[in-house]
């Protein structure tokens, strides 16, 4: 290995200050990234009420994935977190997406129909006793979603005028994780499969 004795070396003091400055910049970048992750991409909330039982019980801590719908749109059966347009209350609503933009939803004889076809839901839910606004064909606009609680007969959801169809801009994000016990929300309450 050759050493160039004629090359100028930075004084020790300058090298130390350079390393300290580099360390401060790295620490600042790490803190900034952590802040973005905590305040922009995820949020914690608590399930209020029994409208999503047995999937989510009252008081369940939930992590919301707020970036889930930055690129794509909610899919059928996603559990979403939203704030009602013009609502006076400060808590979030948590429901399951059933009808997608442009679809026609109808509830008859306890069965949910999408565009005239009976919906085969992949989770355990009771037959719906009250169809509400969906007792007649309800066609969704291009930015609307029809949501139901999994506790179908004890849920205030899109069947009722005070909630109605959910506008895309009111969706906060996807209910992603439960904290106690730790689990992915979309893995909870799968339908019983008879073989």
């Amino acid at each position: 290995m050759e050493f160039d004795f004629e090359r100028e070396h930075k004084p020790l003091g300058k090298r130390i200050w350079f390393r300290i400055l580099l360390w401060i910049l790295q620490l600042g970048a790490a803190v900034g990234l952590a802040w973005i992750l905590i305040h922009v991409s995820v949020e914690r909330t608590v399930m209020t009420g029994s409208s999503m039982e047995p999937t989510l019980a009252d008081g369940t801590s939930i992590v919301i994935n707020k970036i889930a719908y930055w690129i794509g749109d909610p899919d059928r059966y996603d559990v979403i977190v939203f704030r009602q347009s013009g609502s006076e209350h400060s808590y979030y609503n948590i429901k399951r997406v059933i009808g997608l933009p442009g679809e026609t939803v109808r509830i008859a004889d306890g069965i949910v129909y999408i565009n005239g076809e009976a919906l085969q839901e992949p989770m355990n839910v009771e037959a719906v006793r009250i169809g509400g606004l969906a007792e007649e064909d309800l066609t969704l606009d291009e930015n609307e979603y029809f949501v139901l609680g999994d506790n179908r007969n004890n849920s205030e959801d899109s069947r009722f005028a005070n909630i109605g169809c959910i506008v895309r801009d009111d969706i906060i994000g996807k209910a992603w994780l439960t904290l106690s016990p730790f689990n992915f929300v979309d893995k909870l309450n799968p339908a019983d499969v008879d073989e």
Side-chain angles (χ1 to χ4, degrees):
M1 181 165 120
E2 292 184 27
F3 188 76
D4 184 3
F5 288 100
E6 295 180 16
R7 186 177 67 176
E8 279 189 41
H9 294 287
K10 291 181 184 175
L12 182 61
K14 284 186 178 180
R15 284 188 283 168
I16 290 174
W17 281 112
F18 177 75
R19 287 186 179 172
I20 290 172
L21 179 62
L22 186 60
W23 180 80
I24 290 171
L25 289 173
Q26 290 172 339
L27 182 63
V31 168
L33 182 60
W35 186 89
I36 288 171
L37 285 173
I38 292 169
H39 295 285
V40 176
S41 64
V42 296
E43 183 177 344
R44 183 183 159 283
T45 192
V46 175
M47 178 67 204
T48 303
S50 61
S51 69
M52 283 300 293
E53 289 181 357
T55 306
L56 300 170
D58 183 35
T60 302
S61 290
I62 299 165
V63 174
I64 306 167
N65 180 346
K66 294 168 70 174
I67 61 174
Y69 303 130
W70 285 5
I71 297 173
D73 292 318
D75 292 322
R76 190 177 334 276
Y77 309 122
D78 281 359
V79 177
I80 62 168
V81 180
F82 62 94
R83 187 181 306 276
Q84 283 177 250
S85 291
S87 177
E88 295 177 7
H89 63 73
S90 61
Y91 62 87
Y92 291 151
N93 282 298
I94 302 170
K95 305 290 183 212
R96 190 177 297 274
V97 173
I98 299 299
L100 301 173
E103 293 181 333
T104 299
V105 179
R106 186 167 165 260
I107 299 174
D109 301 320
I111 299 170
V112 178
Y113 293 88
I114 302 293
N115 296 331
E117 305 249 344
L119 195 60
Q120 301 297 316
E121 299 180 270
M123 64 276 177
N124 286 312
V125 292
E126 297 176 329
V128 182
R129 288 195 302 257
I130 300 171
L133 297 173
E135 286 179 355
E136 303 290 326
D137 284 352
L138 178 65
T139 301
L140 303 171
D141 286 341
E142 290 306 312
N143 67 338
E144 289 183 328
Y145 294 84
F146 187 90
V147 297
L148 292 174
D150 286 359
N151 188 354
R152 297 289 161 83
N153 297 307
N154 189 21
S155 175
E156 205 169 342
D157 45 41
S158 290
R159 294 173 290 167
F160 305 103
N162 57 332
I163 299 278
C165 296
I166 305 307
V167 178
R168 176 71 171 84
D169 290 343
D170 292 340
I171 298 173
I172 305 297
K174 182 176 183 176
W176 184 36
L177 300 169
T178 60
L179 298 178
S180 181
F182 182 82
N183 207 339
F184 289 96
V185 172
D186 61 0
K187 301 291 184 208
L188 300 173
N189 189 28
D192 297 325
V193 179
D194 297 329
E195 296 187 62

